[in-house]
Amino acid sequence: MSEQHQSVVAIEAVDFHFGQKKIYTNVTIQIPSHGVSVIMGPSGCGKSTLLNLISGRYKPDRGKVRVLGCEVNTLRENDLFQLRRRMGMMFQSSALLTDLSVFENVAFPLRENTDLPEPLIRNLVLMKLEQVGLRGAQDHSPSELSGGMARRVALARATAMDPDLLLFDEPFTGLDPISLGIITKLVREITDALRTTSIVVTHDVEEGLSIADHVFLLGRGTLLASGTPQELLDSNQPEVRQFLHGLPDGPVPFHYPANDYRGQILEHS
Amino acid sequence: MNTANPAVWVQRIGAEAIELVGRLGHATVFLLKSIGHFPSLLRRPSLLTRQIYSVGVLTVSITVVAGAFVGMVLGFQGYYTLIDFSAESSLGLLVALSLTRELGPVLSALLYTGRAGSALTAEIGLMKTTEQLAALEMMAVNPIRRVISPRLLAGIIAVPLLCAMFTLVGILGGYFASVIQLGVDSGVYWSSIADGVDLRLDIMNGMIKSVVFGILVTWIAVFEGYDSYPSAEGISRATTRTVVTASLAILGSDYILTALMFRS
């Protein structure tokens, strides 16, 4: 099988619970290498949990999680850190280190994981910051950045090691329209420029579909649908239609499960 | 749940005990992992010096001020007690022994808990809440090595130094109250200290106590921060737990150490 068609991430028959709550039951997902794969689904369906399983921060109750050829859930701590050197992750909160400047944040993974000489680190960091348009903000501290700028610095930091796998946790949430457009464009451009694989977890349908090569729709603790953006838009599956078109009621009910309404109202009357 | 049923109470106590033992085991593993990364700090001394400044140097001012006042109070109280027995010549010794054996280690550790311990818990808890610790993990950087170990070692180094400062300033405070304000002879004050304070029994034991307190307080502070629930309320609870648990740990371990050291 050529590398182009191999799965960079293979989640096989995974069960996972968090506290008392069952998140996944027998979930199987194959994420192809290269391009942007978008994981969608309603809030609380376990999209971010999927990233934590892929990165080895959570371990499944059952099943296998294979990433870049390694079975993540059986790796020792040192091997897991070795694998993570081939990954980059952008967090929803940006997660910039608040005691370091923008430059030092982007330089951080290079300083910690390589023995590159200082002039080379400097040039690499400036290139990454130029790519996200923030070379001029290199001396700023994270507290001086807007939400969109912080997200862009986080993106530059995630790509600092030229990773084989990029993970994005809700990259479009809480941004103004200009920042939203910038981040959407950057995710696509950087994925193509690095010839890498990006996994984007989002519930923003428009932005997600606009950059996706493959879409996976999660819900009810399982994989509801997958395919190209057009295949999902053309789908007649009720769950897919409800999510992509934002219908307030449907397979995902408007009402949270509750006792009989009439009975509860009359209970103390 | 039927709270009057004794079986329910036994069940509840058992559950609490299991949770406590589990948490203690978790904290012990966390401490051992943190200590295991100490050698890596030799290659990155800047990580350590920055934390010594943060937890140690920034605590010097309150330690010095508190030490001076405690020494002065000891001078006054000691003088008015000893004068009834015409034993004011032993005032210097009373001040020095009180400070080196007990008040220096205990009060400097309590001050460190309030000033630096709570700050450590809040800082690490906030790093967890804002996903900075998760980001470190994702950048293949072990947060225990990068964040916890430098803070733990800095605390272990800083607390004995703060204790020494507290004790020295306290003796000077005692001198000010006894000699300058109450008229005790200066030579008598110093010679009673020189004759009566034993290097091993008093000073070394006091230092050993402060090293133990430094380990206990900093361990509790970094663990509570690392183990906190990632929310504003979680950080608040963790910070409170640090101050309460560390203070009780200081006083409890002081009793045990005193019993072991000064039994003879």
Side-chain angles (χ1 to χ4, degrees):
Chain A
M1 193 185 286
S2 74
E3 196 190 343
Q4 282 287 338
H5 296 97
Q6 280 179 342
S7 305
V8 72
V9 173
I11 293 164
E12 296 164 12
V14 160
D15 286 359
F16 182 75
H17 77 279
F18 201 85
Q20 300 294 319
K21 191 181 175 191
K22 192 95 178 164
I23 307 288
Y24 295 133
T25 307
N26 200 27
V27 168
T28 295
I29 298 175
Q30 307 273 342
I31 292 178
S33 64
H34 301 103
V36 178
S37 292
V38 173
I39 314 286
M40 287 186 170
S43 298
C45 75
K47 301 188 296 293
S48 298
T49 303
L50 194 72
L51 293 187
N52 284 317
L53 285 168
I54 291 170
S55 62
R57 297 190 63 233
Y58 295 166
K59 294 201 185 307
D61 303 332
R62 190 180 70 89
K64 291 179 182 173
V65 180
R66 200 181 296 276
V67 178
L68 298 168
C70 302
E71 200 171 312
V72 174
N73 41 322
T74 59
L75 289 179
R76 289 165 168 268
E77 192 179 55
N78 282 343
D79 296 329
L80 191 57
F81 279 132
Q82 287 294 332
L83 178 66
R84 285 181 185 156
R85 288 179 188 185
R86 298 172 61 196
M87 298 184 198
M89 181 159 176
M90 186 178 131
F91 289 82
Q92 183 179 352
S93 63
S94 300
L96 298 177
L97 302 174
T98 46
D99 57 337
L100 301 180
S101 67
V102 164
F103 182 96
E104 289 301 326
N105 261 285
V106 181
F108 187 84
L110 296 167
R111 291 196 203 289
E112 292 289 330
N113 294 319
T114 70
D115 295 320
L116 294 175
E118 190 54 35
L120 187 54
I121 288 179
R122 179 182 168 277
N123 289 347
L124 282 170
V125 172
L126 291 178
M127 284 162 62
K128 296 296 176 188
L129 284 173
E130 177 71 12
Q131 197 169 27
V132 298
L134 289 178
R135 188 167 47 83
Q138 60 177 298
D139 295 325
H140 287 29
S141 76
S143 62
E144 294 174 289
L145 303 176
S146 68
M149 289 167 79
R151 212 67 70 87
R152 282 197 270 167
V153 175
L155 179 54
R157 187 178 66 179
T159 60
M161 298 276 288
D162 288 346
D164 297 324
L165 178 63
L166 270 168
L167 307 174
F168 296 88
D169 189 8
E170 300 285 6
F172 312 123
T173 304
L175 295 177
D176 64 79
I178 297 172
S179 300
L180 186 61
I182 291 170
I183 291 290
T184 310
K185 172 175 159 287
L186 283 173
V187 171
R188 182 74 248 182
E189 284 184 359
I190 285 173
T191 304
D192 293 338
L194 295 177
R195 289 182 49 74
T196 189
T197 306
S198 290
I199 301 175
V200 180
V201 156
T202 182
H203 53 236
D204 293 283
V205 174
E206 192 180 330
E207 286 72 27
L209 293 185
S210 71
I211 58 168
D213 296 308
H214 314 275
V215 184
F216 299 86
L217 185 63
L218 296 178
R220 291 190 279 109
T222 188
L223 178 67
L224 294 175
S226 66
T228 64
Q230 196 56 51
E231 283 169 350
L232 260 73
L233 284 169
D234 294 342
S235 170
N236 287 323
Q237 204 175 326
E239 290 100 335
V240 178
R241 285 183 56 76
Q242 185 189 10
F243 184 77
L244 294 187
H245 300 290
L247 306 177
D249 211 349
V252 178
F254 172 74
H255 287 289
Y256 192 79
N259 300 334
D260 174 54
Y261 181 44
R262 184 181 164 83
Q264 194 169 12
I265 290 288
L266 296 175
E267 192 175 339
H268 296 293
S269 301
Chain B
M1 191 182 286
N2 182 8
T3 51
N5 187 348
V8 173
W9 282 101
V10 171
Q11 194 180 22
R12 192 176 291 174
I13 291 167
E16 295 265 339
I18 289 168
E19 190 185 327
L20 181 68
V21 171
R23 194 167 153 77
L24 199 59
H26 182 34
T28 305
V29 171
F30 176 82
L31 175 69
L32 295 175
K33 279 185 179 176
S34 306
I35 292 171
H37 288 294
F38 281 175
S40 70
L41 293 170
L42 295 173
R43 293 193 300 273
R44 303 278 296 274
S46 62
L47 288 177
L48 180 62
T49 50
R50 202 179 305 157
Q51 293 309 320
I52 289 177
Y53 175 80
S54 177
V55 300
V57 176
L58 295 180
T59 314
V60 166
S61 55
I62 61 163
T63 304
V64 166
V65 171
F69 282 125
V70 169
M72 285 191 278
V73 169
L74 273 176
F76 270 112
Q77 292 284 15
Y79 179 83
Y80 291 121
T81 306
L82 293 175
I83 194 83
D84 290 342
F85 307 99
S86 301
E88 67 273 21
S89 58
S90 299
L91 189 55
L93 183 61
L94 176 108
V95 171
L97 285 183
S98 303
L99 285 165
T100 52
R101 286 184 175 191
E102 292 298 333
L103 294 177
V106 170
L107 291 183
S108 60
L110 288 173
L111 288 167
Y112 171 84
T113 302
R115 157 63 189 77
S118 56
L120 280 174
T121 303
E123 183 191 18
I124 295 166
L126 200 59
M127 288 182 81
K128 186 175 182 181
T129 306
T130 55
E131 297 183 302
Q132 292 180 57
L133 297 182
L136 287 175
E137 284 183 27
M138 285 309 302
M139 288 187 282
V141 175
N142 189 333
I144 292 183
R145 176 175 63 78
R146 186 64 169 67
V147 176
I148 304 300
S149 281
R151 284 162 175 78
L152 182 63
L153 186 56
I156 295 170
I157 293 169
V159 173
L161 296 174
L162 291 168
C163 168
M165 280 182 211
F166 186 98
T167 304
L168 287 173
V169 175
I171 290 171
L172 291 175
Y175 177 87
F176 177 80
S178 316
V179 177
I180 296 174
Q181 290 191 285
L182 298 170
V184 173
D185 184 76
S186 171
V188 169
Y189 183 87
W190 291 119
S191 63
S192 68
I193 294 175
D195 292 342
V197 177
D198 184 77
L199 177 67
R200 192 194 64 79
L201 186 66
D202 303 317
I203 297 175
M204 287 307 294
N205 278 342
M207 281 293 120
I208 290 169
K209 278 186 176 182
S210 70
V211 170
V212 173
F213 298 160
I215 294 169
L216 280 175
V217 174
T218 318
W219 173 30
I220 290 167
V222 293
F223 177 73
E224 288 291 356
Y226 199 79
D227 197 50
S228 62
Y229 187 78
S231 70
E233 192 193 0
I235 296 172
S236 161
R237 281 171 184 265
T239 310
T240 305
R241 269 202 309 270
T242 289
V243 175
V244 172
T245 314
S247 301
L248 292 176
I250 290 166
L251 297 172
S253 60
D254 182 50
Y255 165 71
I256 295 166
L257 290 169
T258 303
L260 291 173
M261 289 170 172
F262 301 103
R263 190 183 291 173
S264 60

